[in-house]
Amino acid sequence: MLLDVQDLTIDIPTASGVLHAVQGISFSVDEGETLCIVGESGCGKSLTALAVMDLLPRRAIRAATSLAFSGRDLRGLSREAMNRLRGDRIAMIFQEPMTSLNPVFTIGDQMIDVLRQHRKVSRREARDRAVYLLDKVGISSPEARLAQYPHQLSGGLRQRVMIAMALMCDPKLILADEPTTALDVTIQAELLRLLMALQQEFGMGLVLITHDLGIVSRMADKVAVMYAGQIVESGTAETIFNDPLHPYTQGLMACLPAPERQRMQHLKAIPGAVPALVGAIEGCRFRGRCAHAQPVCERDVALREPAGAHPYRCVLPAETSRDNARAVLGAGA
Amino acid sequence: MLRFVLRRSGSALILMVVVSFVAFMLIFAAGDPAVKLAGEAGSAADAARIRAFYGFDQPIYLQFLHWIGAALHGNLGHSLYFDQPVSAILFDRLGTTLLLGLVSFIFALAISLPLGIAAARWQNTWIDRTALIVAVIGQAMPTFWFALLLVVMFSVIWPILPTSGSETWRHFIMPSVVLGYFAAPAIMRLTRSGMILALETDYVRTARALGIAPRKVLLKYALRNAVIPVVSVSAAQFGYMLAGSVVVESVFAINGAGRLAWESILRSDLPTVQALVLCFSLIYVILTFVADVLNAWLDPRMRLADARA
């Protein structure tokens, strides 16, 4: 197992009480595998990635029963040891290509710094590696690009540079937090294909964080659906898409503009908003927006895995859920 | 970059012409100079003779051209008090003041930059609060009072430094500390706020996520961005320090341009005042120019935006 996270909790003390941003989530990724964490903004998916990187805001409190990378426990790691791991064995790509590169240094300078931070190589060798990777991520005339500054590149190019930078040390795991959200749709598809190709070539594990089920369907081997700080459903991409059991997952899919569904049909939306996660919270987090909410949903619901189904966090029996799915998504689901 | 420097030197040149004109006009701001020179006992005929002798009867633009032409040849007129060419007294005094300014400036940077960076790095800790106290005291304390305090401390109670004069480097220690401490707070607070902003940016997060050593993140990735506004303010502070040198040079009896300016104003030695205003203004214009060039070198966006414009 490349990355194994068990029962991860993130609490953030605020003026109005403790914000329970992430409440005991578990997931794992293997080499060459893509895990997609899906959810809407504020569900804790970005914080989850930052928690793995140990880059949470200073006041956030992280806890987990297991947080292991290649069998190494990350929880007890010193700051220096964690820093050696970051950028070398685990790399991260962020959502904002326009602001994620340092404006006052050249692309080359920033890329070379990453490799020379982790390896004893000459500037020359680091430069060669940067050229090789810029070429790999599909940037033309990479030699010339090295001398350019971020503001001279488009958003799409900058995100390619970010990817190349993350690959400088040949990492085993990439955490990508909404890497294409800020980009044009056409560039999105290209970049995702690139990310997938690179992942295959280098055999990396990939944790892709997104709110876009369309991306999930193209990229994921495994899916974890997050809602309000919890995983509400998880499984292989196939089972999630063919057999969505949680009302939230079903709702997300109903929101997807599907070509096979009627053209003129209105795009759907899930009514209501994500609950506040400050202070004591009880019961199913989704019940306020759920069409199937019952009195029993007032009590906490566990993530369960009944026979013949994958893990999901709902009181409804799998069969009832499947009936609902057919009603919501049509006969095809 | 070369284009940027050329463009900026062009605008600096225009600024210099404007400034020198204002400096020239000073002589008329204080009333009719001929009457003043003739003295209280002087007759109207004396004034007329003086007017003709100094060329005050000519049109102002001609006088200005004459004056600036002479100034360009190093002739800044004749001092009314010393009975010497102004240039003969000025350059020696200016050298002393610039030396004092430079040493003070280095002292100011030496305390404000490290303190500003440390205050940002350890924000809201005792380090930050100590730096704040140091800054507030520096900002609030009048220079002459701080100067006297130092004299009492290090020349009277514990006599290790000379009280006045400008003969050796030891004479420059206390004046430089006073002037430097006067300039340091603004630079320090700006460094601190710039660093705090920079440390919260996405690109610093990227550097951390890629395992760049914390020291390098702080002193390369964040500082290079934070220091850009500091450069402009530092240049302005250097200018304020030259102004402050009037007070400090008086307290420590340093024969500098600041003291000369103050004395010349008291003596109504207008050609000298004129020349001093011109020199100080030119220094200020040059400082601004250097700050602009330095900023363009630090920030590629500024360089290229200017080239495109």
Side-chain angles (χ1 to χ4, degrees), chain A residues 165-177:
Chain A
M165 232 164 118
L167 295 177
M168 278 305 271
C169 297
D170 200 5
K172 296 304 320 160
L173 176 69
I174 298 257
L175 304 176
D177 184 5

Side-chain angles (χ1 to χ4, degrees), chain B residues 235-271:
Chain B
Q237 287 300 107
F238 196 109
Y240 290 142
M241 271 183 354
L242 290 182
S245 70
V246 175
V247 174
V248 172
E249 285 175 8
S250 302
V251 173
F252 290 101
I254 293 172
N255 263 326
R259 192 162 159 227
L260 178 66
W262 179 59
E263 287 168 353
S264 298
I265 291 166
L266 290 184
R267 295 173 193 134
S268 299
D269 186 355
L270 274 171

Side-chain angles (χ1 to χ4, degrees), chain A residues 118-136:
Chain A
H118 298 289
R119 303 270 193 283
K120 282 200 161 63
V121 296
S122 67
R123 277 196 78 82
R124 178 85 239 162
E125 288 169 284
R127 214 188 109 90
D128 290 345
R129 171 90 181 149
V131 170
Y132 165 76
L133 281 172
L134 284 182
D135 184 55
K136 222 67 219 125

Side-chain angles (χ1 to χ4, degrees), chain A:
Chain A
M1 199 62 68
L2 190 59
L3 178 69
D4 181 48
V5 176
Q6 297 298 325
D7 213 8
L8 173 71
T9 311
I10 303 170
D11 285 340
I12 303 174
T14 66
S16 47
V18 177
L19 170 67
H20 303 284
V22 171
Q23 307 142 30
I25 68 169
S26 305
F27 59 89
S28 65
V29 196
D30 253 326
E31 288 181 24
E33 193 177 55
T34 301
L35 165 73
C36 281
I37 301 180
V38 209
E40 57 201 289
S41 27
C43 72
K45 54 195 198 301
S46 294
L47 283 174
T48 301
L50 291 177
V52 172
M53 298 294 284
D54 197 15
L55 286 175
L56 285 171
R58 220 175 292 174
R59 54 185 204 289
I61 302 157
R62 179 187 79 177
T65 54
S66 164
L67 191 60
F69 172 75
S70 291
R72 248 175 111 183
D73 190 351
L74 298 183
R75 289 172 304 168
L77 233 45
S78 71
R79 208 176 285 193
E80 289 76 24
M82 192 62 216
N83 214 47
R84 278 198 294 276
L85 220 54
R86 275 197 295 259
D88 185 356
R89 305 288 76 214
I90 313 176
M92 186 158 176
I93 302 165
F94 294 97
Q95 181 176 357
E96 306 84 5
M98 303 313 274
T99 52
S100 290
L101 290 166
N102 200 312
V104 300
F105 297 108
T106 60
I107 306 301
D109 199 10
Q110 297 181 55
M111 292 183 77
I112 289 167
D113 265 0
V114 177
L115 189 58
R116 279 170 59 89
Q117 179 70 46
H118 298 289
R119 303 270 193 283
K120 282 200 161 63
V121 296
S122 67
R123 277 196 78 82
R124 178 85 239 162
E125 288 169 284
R127 214 188 109 90
D128 290 345
R129 171 90 181 149
V131 170
Y132 165 76
L133 281 172
L134 284 182
D135 184 55
K136 222 67 219 125
V137 298
I139 290 181
S140 56
S141 52
E143 296 267 358
R145 294 289 183 196
L146 285 185
Q148 287 192 314
Y149 290 93
H151 71 271
Q152 293 171 288
L153 309 180
S154 68
L157 276 183
R158 285 190 218 187
Q159 199 60 308
R160 284 175 198 266
V161 170
M162 273 302 305
I163 294 172
M165 232 164 118
L167 295 177
M168 278 305 271
C169 297
D170 200 5
K172 296 304 320 160
L173 176 69
I174 298 257
L175 304 176
D177 184 5
E178 305 256 13
T180 60
T181 305
L183 302 172
D184 284 352
V185 186
T186 46
I187 299 168
Q188 267 190 25
E190 244 174 79
L191 265 180
L192 290 172
R193 255 197 305 277
L194 171 71
L195 211 52
M196 207 137 79
L198 291 169
Q199 181 210 10
Q200 294 302 318
E201 183 173 346
F202 297 118
M204 297 177 293
L206 176 64
V207 177
L208 184 66
I209 291 166
T210 180
H211 65 274
D212 185 342
L213 270 189
I215 290 177
V216 178
S217 68
R218 269 177 285 165
M219 302 282 290
D221 297 312
K222 294 197 298 196
V223 181
V225 182
M226 270 186 89
Y227 186 80
Q230 295 180 325
I231 288 179
V232 294
E233 184 161 6
S234 71
T236 64
E238 221 193 326
T239 52
I240 297 288
F241 279 97
N242 292 335
D243 186 23
L245 292 176
H246 195 278
Y248 178 61
T249 316
Q250 295 169 359
L252 281 182
M253 286 189 191
C255 296
L256 211 59
E260 58 267 24
R261 237 176 281 140
Q262 268 181 302
R263 245 167 187 271
M264 294 313 290
Q265 191 178 340
H266 279 296
L267 272 180
K268 284 194 180 126
I270 303 174
V274 185
L277 298 176
V278 177
I281 27 173
E282 247 182 55
C284 172
R285 312 288 187 257
F286 189 60
R287 67 179 188 279
R289 303 170 76 181
C290 183
H292 316 289
Q294 315 160 19
V296 68
C297 302
E298 301 286 328
R299 266 176 284 153
D300 268 345
V301 182
L303 195 66
R304 58 199 186 88
E305 188 175 359
H310 52 274
Y312 69 109
R313 194 186 289 271
C314 184
V315 292
L316 294 178
E319 267 321 310
T320 316
S321 272
R322 286 180 184 128
D323 290 341
N324 291 338
R326 271 188 288 275
V328 175
L329 299 169

Side-chain angles (χ1 to χ4, degrees), chain B residues 195-219:
Chain B
M195 282 300 282
I196 287 173
L197 281 181
L199 286 171
E200 281 166 2
T201 56
D202 290 340
Y203 52 81
V204 161
R205 186 184 57 183
T206 303
R208 286 192 181 128
L210 293 172
I212 303 295
R215 179 184 293 261
K216 195 166 188 180
V217 171
L218 189 72
L219 297 180

Side-chain angles (χ1 to χ4, degrees), chain B residues 14-275:
Chain B
I14 295 167
L15 194 58
M16 280 186 192
V17 172
V18 174
V19 159
S20 55
F21 186 69
V22 172
F24 173 75
M25 290 304 287
L26 271 182
I27 199 164
F28 300 100
D32 188 338
V35 172
K36 209 159 195 177
L37 286 177
E40 281 176 22
S43 65
D46 290 338
R49 221 174 21 254
I50 290 169
R51 207 169 282 136
F53 178 78
Y54 283 104
F56 292 144
D57 50 351
Q58 287 174 359
I60 285 180
Y61 76 92
L62 269 183
Q63 290 188 50
F64 174 65
L65 286 179
H66 185 242
W67 179 72
I68 198 78
L72 285 175
H73 288 95
N75 177 11
L76 290 165
H78 207 82
S79 166
L80 303 180
Y81 177 81
F82 291 102
D83 200 23
Q84 272 186 59
V86 171
S87 49
I89 351 165
L90 189 68
F91 289 113
D92 181 43
R93 301 288 194 97
L94 212 52
T96 307
T97 296
L98 282 180
L99 179 68
L100 175 65
L102 201 67
V103 176
S104 310
F105 187 60
I106 291 168
F107 174 73
L109 289 183
I111 62 168
S112 58
L113 287 182
L115 261 185
I117 294 167
R121 167 67 183 79
W122 291 284
Q123 196 188 345
N124 297 328
T125 64
W126 66 269
I127 297 174
D128 191 13
R129 276 184 267 280
T130 308
L132 177 66
I133 292 167
V134 169
V136 168
I137 292 174
Q139 198 95 69
M141 200 162 39
T143 44
F144 71 88
W145 190 68
F146 183 45
L148 292 175
L149 220 61
L150 284 186
V151 170
V152 170
M153 281 280 290
F154 297 106
S155 302
V156 180
I157 296 175
W158 189 29
I160 50 166
L161 290 172
T163 49
S164 58
S166 49
E167 287 79 38
T168 68
W169 63 269
R170 297 178 61 236
H171 288 88
F172 280 91
I173 294 178
M174 283 197 292
S176 301
V177 168
V178 172
L179 262 186
Y181 191 29
F182 165 70
I187 303 175
M188 195 207 95
R189 297 304 286 173
L190 194 66
T191 306
R192 176 185 176 273
S193 59
M195 282 300 282
I196 287 173
L197 281 181
L199 286 171
E200 281 166 2
T201 56
D202 290 340
Y203 52 81
V204 161
R205 186 184 57 183
T206 303
R208 286 192 181 128
L210 293 172
I212 303 295
R215 179 184 293 261
K216 195 166 188 180
V217 171
L218 189 72
L219 297 180
K220 179 176 175 180
Y221 283 76
L223 183 60
R224 178 73 174 263
N225 284 278
V227 91
I228 291 167
V230 174
V231 170
S232 319
V233 164
S234 297
Q237 287 300 107
F238 196 109
Y240 290 142
M241 271 183 354
L242 290 182
S245 70
V246 175
V247 174
V248 172
E249 285 175 8
S250 302
V251 173
F252 290 101
I254 293 172
N255 263 326
R259 192 162 159 227
L260 178 66
W262 179 59
E263 287 168 353
S264 298
I265 291 166
L266 290 184
R267 295 173 193 134
S268 299
D269 186 355
L270 274 171
T272 311
V273 175
Q274 244 181 349

